Amino acid sequence: MSKEKIFLEYPMRGSAVMIWKYIGTVAGLSPWFADKVECFDRTYNFYWGKTEKKTAHLIAQRNGVYVRFRWDEESHNTFFEMRISYNELTRENTLEITDFADRDEIEDQKELWNSQIENLRIQSGM
């Protein structure tokens, strides 16, 4: 079954530099995205609880703008990306999420991102 692309936008109160600290660094990802994050070269290990571990590879990055990862078990056509954009009209930064999910899991994946971003806001004060 092929996966469908999901695109989500979250207005953020913080500066682009602050947002980048939380999406583009191992130390920043740890408090909100996973319980623990390790990085070896371009391979990231994400840990949740005591037993769950997933490995992702950093496949693209532009410092201060976006990071794009691919989970180990996923096809080469899928990824998840976190991107910072600035809206001139509202003068706000937005965190844009691109992800992929099976059709029957799209709503669950959106809820997971909503929960993760809420964690980010709590941890960062954004």
Side-chain angles (χ1 to χ4, degrees):
M1 178 185 288
S2 67
K3 297 198 175 210
E4 294 189 20
K5 187 184 268 190
I6 302 167
F7 182 75
L8 303 164
E9 293 181 299
Y10 299 94
M12 304 299 284
R13 291 187 304 216
S15 69
V17 171
M18 184 175 184
I19 297 167
W20 178 253
K21 181 180 112 177
Y22 283 93
I23 70 168
T25 68
V26 171
L29 287 165
S30 293
W32 71 275
F33 188 78
D35 296 331
K36 179 180 172 185
V37 180
E38 296 174 335
C39 176
F40 305 100
D41 194 23
R42 295 174 69 87
T43 300
Y44 285 68
N45 293 315
F46 297 95
Y47 299 89
W48 295 272
K50 294 183 180 185
T51 58
E52 187 175 356
K53 173 189 170 189
K54 286 184 83 173
T55 300
H57 300 279
L58 180 67
I59 57 173
Q61 174 181 355
R62 183 170 172 206
N63 284 337
V65 180
Y66 75 93
V67 290
R68 182 181 291 179
F69 295 95
R70 178 173 297 113
W71 294 116
D72 253 3
E73 68 276 4
E74 295 295 327
S75 77
H76 287 285
N77 298 328
T78 64
F79 58 87
F80 69 97
E81 179 180 280
M82 296 177 277
R83 178 181 293 268
I84 303 164
S85 68
Y86 182 74
N87 184 319
E88 294 284 339
L89 189 60
T90 63
R91 296 180 184 225
E92 285 185 324
N93 286 304
T94 300
L95 182 57
E96 299 174 347
I97 305 296
T98 303
D99 200 356
F100 290 81
D102 292 328
R103 181 171 288 154
D104 60 342
E105 295 177 353
I106 289 174
E107 289 307 312
D108 290 341
Q109 195 67 14
K110 287 179 179 180
E111 297 240 352
L112 177 60
W113 277 111
N114 289 341
S115 174
Q116 294 293 84
I117 299 303
E118 185 59 29
N119 286 341
L120 170 59
R121 287 185 169 133
I122 290 167
Q123 292 293 325
S124 68
M126 288 189 275

